[in-house]
Amino acid sequence: MKQDIRLYFSAIHKLFRETIPGSDDTVKKQVKLLIEELKAGGYEKEAKMLNNILVTDSAKNELTPIKILKSNLGFCGEELTKAVSVPVNKETGAQILEVTFVNDLPDASPVFSEAIVKAISSILTEWSNADKLINKGLDPVRSCLIYGAPGTGKTQLALWMAKQLGLPVVTARLDGLMSSYLGTTSKNIGNLFDFANRYKCLLLLDEFDAIAKFRADNQEIGEIKRVVNTLLQNMDTRKQNGFTIGITNHPKLLDPAVWRRFDIQIEIPNPSREVLQQIVQSKLGTVKLKPSQVKFLSWLIDGGTGADADVLTRWVKKAKIVIGNVFDSEFYTLVQEFIFLNAGRVNHANANIVMQDNRKVLTKELSQSQYKFTGTEISEILSVDKSTISRIKAPKNKNS
Ligand SMILES: Nc1ncnc2c1ncn2[C@@H]1O[C@H](COP(=O)(O)OP(=O)(O)O)[C@@H](O)[C@H]1O
Ligand SMILES: [Mg+2]
């Protein structure tokens, strides 16, 4: 006799929940096939539940580390060590740059959509084959501009890329670089590039739009021209000497000529719902939360960035360590506390729903949201019986 798969689904679901995270692509491929079969068989809800497990597993959207041989890259230059002294702004004494050594660069890549991961991976592959390209008279990509909204992982990406190259990072400090004295800013920019060209390093021009802003603020037209020209000239000579990454939150403020100096431009969009869930999952690291709780946290910061996920997951991780066993039963209250303390970090509308503290309203909103929370998930989030949620969803008529 043919049995309904629903009889066994709870066990199947549990099994996948335990085994999918961290599994390799062949396993995931099989699960995807099963999901398709379930859909074809009319088991929409079950297909969705399995799909959720795949979505929250972040492995596929993190960049794969590769070790790139420095000797392949074709740049000379001295080794940058802690003994090297850093140039300063003569007028103020402030450092015009900061050095981050390879050991201090992040091991974890940010989590992006598959398309971005693929594009960035292709640059890394190019770098690891740089010697072959150079032998054939072709130049590997040597400079890229990364742009996008604040908190989307641009700086982390640049630092992670440097780690793959095994190069220390020389970051321009714009506060140290800029000067109100005539000619000093240009001189500082020259010193910055001279330093970066002398040593084996990756030059990072972070929050680079400040130079463009300087153009708008400064009244002295001749001085503005001088600064931009110095920058352009230095970027041209930099090409033969090493890698450069520019980062900006305001690409429109950049001078088109500066923009054109970069071999490639990567736009980092705000994370999609799917990617945001993966970011939350990856930030939790070894701290295990139920998939329903991960999904709820993502819903809470819906429309937000990785930086929001960072703050939220730090707080959840601390709570889990501090309160231990009662974490699940306290989860919802913890989330409410977080909202109180981080009003600017959460999705305003969703936070308002949570703060109403009304199970009926919450159940309705969660199940009708884009995230389509199931009754089981809502019961886990609120730490109440599944039957309670079922009753809220479909109240029995008193007279029947
Ligand atoms: N896509 C992402 N994946 C993982 N973490 C992210 C992501 N975007 C932002 N973050 C986290 O948010 C914080 C800010 O990121 P950062 O790279 O400084 O952003 P940006 O330079 O774009 O303003 C960091 O702690 C970073 O780990
Ligand atoms: Mg940044």
Side-chain angles (χ1 to χ4, degrees), residues 151 154-156 206-207 247 249:
K154 300 181 297 301
T155 302
Q156 194 191 344
D206 204 351
E207 318 231 335
I247 298 182
N249 296 334

Side-chain angles (χ1 to χ4, degrees), residues 184-317:
T184 302
T185 305
S186 298
K187 209 182 290 158
N188 289 343
I189 292 176
N191 287 342
L192 165 74
F193 277 85
D194 285 349
F195 182 91
N197 292 343
R198 177 169 167 188
Y199 298 101
K200 276 193 209 129
C201 66
L202 182 142
L203 173 61
L204 179 59
L205 305 167
D206 204 351
E207 318 231 335
F208 188 37
D209 36 88
I211 290 183
K213 226 174 123 230
F214 171 86
R215 293 187 68 198
D217 293 348
N218 200 305
Q219 300 304 312
E220 169 67 67
I221 298 291
E223 173 71 349
I224 300 164
K225 274 200 177 145
R226 192 160 34 229
V227 168
V228 173
N229 281 338
T230 311
L231 186 62
L232 293 176
Q233 280 165 14
N234 276 296
M235 286 184 70
D236 288 339
T237 43
R238 172 76 188 150
K239 262 190 155 326
Q240 279 74 51
N241 295 289
F243 290 107
T244 311
I245 294 184
I247 298 182
T248 174
N249 296 334
H250 308 286
K252 290 206 182 89
L253 288 182
L254 273 194
D255 191 295
V258 174
W259 180 280
R260 276 199 302 275
R261 288 300 189 283
F262 289 95
D263 291 337
I264 53 167
Q265 296 100 27
I266 309 173
E267 182 181 4
I268 306 292
N270 275 30
S272 65
R273 279 203 179 96
E274 213 176 68
V275 172
L276 192 60
Q277 275 190 67
Q278 289 164 351
I279 297 175
V280 170
Q281 181 71 56
S282 107
K283 296 256 168 223
L284 286 169
T286 51
V287 172
K288 271 208 164 203
L289 253 61
K290 293 181 176 166
S292 56
Q293 293 171 332
V294 173
K295 202 166 142 182
F296 186 64
L297 296 177
S298 314
W299 171 84
L300 186 68
I301 52 168
D302 190 43
T305 62
D308 301 321
D310 191 52
V311 177
L312 176 58
T313 51
R314 260 172 220 273
W315 185 84
V316 168
K317 276 157 77 171

Side-chain angles (χ1 to χ4, degrees), residues 6-149:
R6 289 188 185 103
L7 282 176
Y8 309 105
F9 191 73
S10 160
I12 296 174
H13 186 242
K14 262 195 202 126
L15 178 66
F16 281 134
R17 234 163 77 163
E18 289 301 319
T19 52
I20 290 178
S23 64
D24 63 23
D25 283 348
T26 46
V27 175
K28 283 172 198 158
K29 218 163 129 187
Q30 288 305 319
V31 179
K32 275 184 192 159
L33 288 176
L34 176 61
I35 291 171
E36 288 314 311
E37 282 182 28
L38 284 170
K39 273 190 201 157
Y43 296 104
E44 282 293 335
K45 193 179 124 203
E46 285 74 13
K48 180 126 197 144
M49 283 168 77
L50 288 193
N51 198 44
N52 276 342
I53 304 179
L54 283 185
V55 166
T56 37
D57 182 49
S58 68
K60 79 174 197 286
N61 287 10
E62 268 174 55
L63 285 146
T64 323
I66 32 173
K67 270 276 154 274
I68 299 166
L69 290 178
K70 253 195 268 187
S71 54
N72 278 354
L73 298 170
F75 295 129
C76 336
E78 299 168 38
E79 287 298 327
L80 190 47
T81 63
K82 297 212 160 118
V84 174
S85 60
V86 163
V88 293
N89 181 334
K90 294 256 159 49
E91 260 106 35
T92 61
Q95 292 194 355
I96 62 169
L97 59 88
E98 207 169 336
V99 178
T100 315
F101 292 96
V102 176
N103 279 343
D104 300 322
L105 294 170
D107 285 315
S109 94
V111 178
F112 295 125
S113 70
E114 240 174 318
I116 295 182
V117 166
K118 273 194 185 142
I120 295 166
S121 303
S122 75
I123 304 168
L124 295 172
T125 313
E126 202 178 296
W127 285 345
S128 60
N129 292 290
D131 54 338
K132 290 183 205 150
L133 293 173
I134 295 165
N135 271 342
K136 295 262 181 245
L138 293 167
D139 267 344
V141 164
R142 289 196 168 148
S143 56
C144 59
L145 180 68
I146 305 176
Y147 65 97

